[in-house]
Amino acid sequence: KQEVTQIPAALSVPEGENLVLNCSFTDSAIYNLQWFRQDPGKGLTSLLLIQSSQREQTSGRLNASLDKSSGRSTLYIAASQPGDSATYLCAANAGGTSYGKLTFGQGTILTVHP
Amino acid sequence: DARVTQTPRHKVTEMGQEVTMRCQPILGHNTVFWYRQTMMQGLELLAYFRNRAPLDDSGMPKDRFSAEMPDATLATLKIQPSEPRDSAVYFCASGLGGPFGYTFGSGTRLTVV
């Protein structure tokens, strides 16, 4: 059974800092890993989708990396802004007999203060 | 942008009542998920469908929950009878399965009193 863990559970940083959010998964047989952002009381917004054959994906100030063999992904946010404050969730998309099943981590609550 | 549409956005009901939540997946998407989100448990998979057929509903309490896709444009999640512990946000997501990503709806916030 796939288990996904995110560290840290919460992070508070001053504006302008670069930061890294971590995600680990127990079963490396994944199609891809997807990072989401969730604002309070809102739905999930997809940020980045990184395929199992890829090492990195970038979108603006966001960069996601994937090391399938070690079961790890990181989300790097450059030059953080107060508008980045949200909960960040990673989800592993299972392969094999669980084709397409998403398993989520518990999330990292990010606060960027001015 | 294409969206996954969920209705209602909010629902308050009394314990014992039937609740039906609806989801309109993005046109052309063949995979639909139902998730439940609570503070304690985070996001839990309740059920998912591919080409309208249920693939996995092992996370769903079978005695009171049921999920269906009567057609490709509608997925439903029903709770009967509802209980206070069912209070949560219920999300629907759709996608093309496999190596493709998924799009989530805005959720239905259910409160059972």
Side-chain angles (χ1 to χ4, degrees), chain A residues 32 38 51 93 99-102, chain B residues 33 35 37 56 98-99 102:
Chain A
N32 53 51
Q38 186 175 29
Q51 301 295 343
N93 183 351
Y99 183 81
K101 181 175 174 178
L102 281 181
Chain B
F33 291 86
Y35 282 88
Q37 187 177 39
D56 185 349
Y102 295 95

Side-chain angles (χ1 to χ4, degrees), chain A residues 31-32 34 36 38 41-44 46 49 51 89 93-94 97-106, chain B residues 9 33 35 37 40-43 45 48 50 55-56 58 91 97-102 104-106 109:
Chain A
Y31 274 115
N32 53 51
Q34 197 165 356
F36 293 89
Q38 186 175 29
K42 304 291 187 183
L44 280 69
S46 181
L49 174 69
Q51 301 295 343
L89 295 146
N93 183 351
T97 56
S98 298
Y99 183 81
K101 181 175 174 178
L102 281 181
T103 302
F104 280 87
Q106 290 286 81
Chain B
R9 290 294 308 276
F33 291 86
Y35 282 88
Q37 187 177 39
M40 292 298 295
Q41 300 296 328
L43 276 157
L45 177 66
Y48 81 112
R50 178 155 301 116
L55 285 189
D56 185 349
S58 59
F91 287 106
F100 301 98
Y102 295 95
F104 277 72
S106 298
R109 182 174 296 275

Side-chain angles (χ1 to χ4, degrees), chain A residues 9-86:
Chain A
L11 184 62
S12 180
V13 299
E15 182 177 6
E17 273 205 6
N18 303 324
L19 55 99
V20 174
L21 309 181
N22 297 290
C23 172
S24 61
F25 47 94
T26 55
D27 186 347
S28 61
I30 61 170
Y31 274 115
N32 53 51
L33 191 132
Q34 197 165 356
W35 282 93
F36 293 89
R37 168 186 171 137
Q38 186 175 29
D39 293 292
K42 304 291 187 183
L44 280 69
T45 301
S46 181
L47 296 173
L48 287 165
L49 174 69
I50 182 164
Q51 301 295 343
S52 61
S53 58
Q54 297 175 313
R55 301 284 291 182
E56 284 189 2
Q57 271 290 341
T58 298
S59 176
R61 294 182 294 108
L62 305 180
N63 175 279
S65 69
L66 177 65
D67 184 342
K68 216 175 96 164
S69 60
S70 67
R72 292 181 184 177
S73 177
T74 61
L75 179 67
Y76 175 83
I77 302 177
S80 58
Q81 303 171 356
D84 296 329
S85 299

Side-chain angles (χ1 to χ4, degrees), chain B residues 27-98:
Chain B
L27 190 64
H29 283 184
N30 65 351
T31 304
V32 175
F33 291 86
W34 283 105
Y35 282 88
R36 174 170 64 183
Q37 187 177 39
T38 61
M39 289 292 292
M40 292 298 295
Q41 300 296 328
L43 276 157
E44 303 173 277
L45 177 66
L46 296 176
Y48 81 112
F49 297 79
R50 178 155 301 116
N51 298 321
R52 296 174 54 202
L55 285 189
D56 185 349
D57 60 2
S58 59
M60 197 165 66
K62 301 290 193 307
D63 56 338
R64 299 183 300 108
F65 284 61
S66 62
E68 295 179 344
M69 281 199 74
D71 61 62
T73 64
L74 177 65
T76 63
L77 181 66
K78 189 175 293 187
I79 308 174
Q80 168 63 14
S82 56
E83 298 180 1
R85 59 180 168 152
D86 300 329
S87 297
V89 182
Y90 291 81
F91 287 106
C92 174
S94 74
L96 291 170

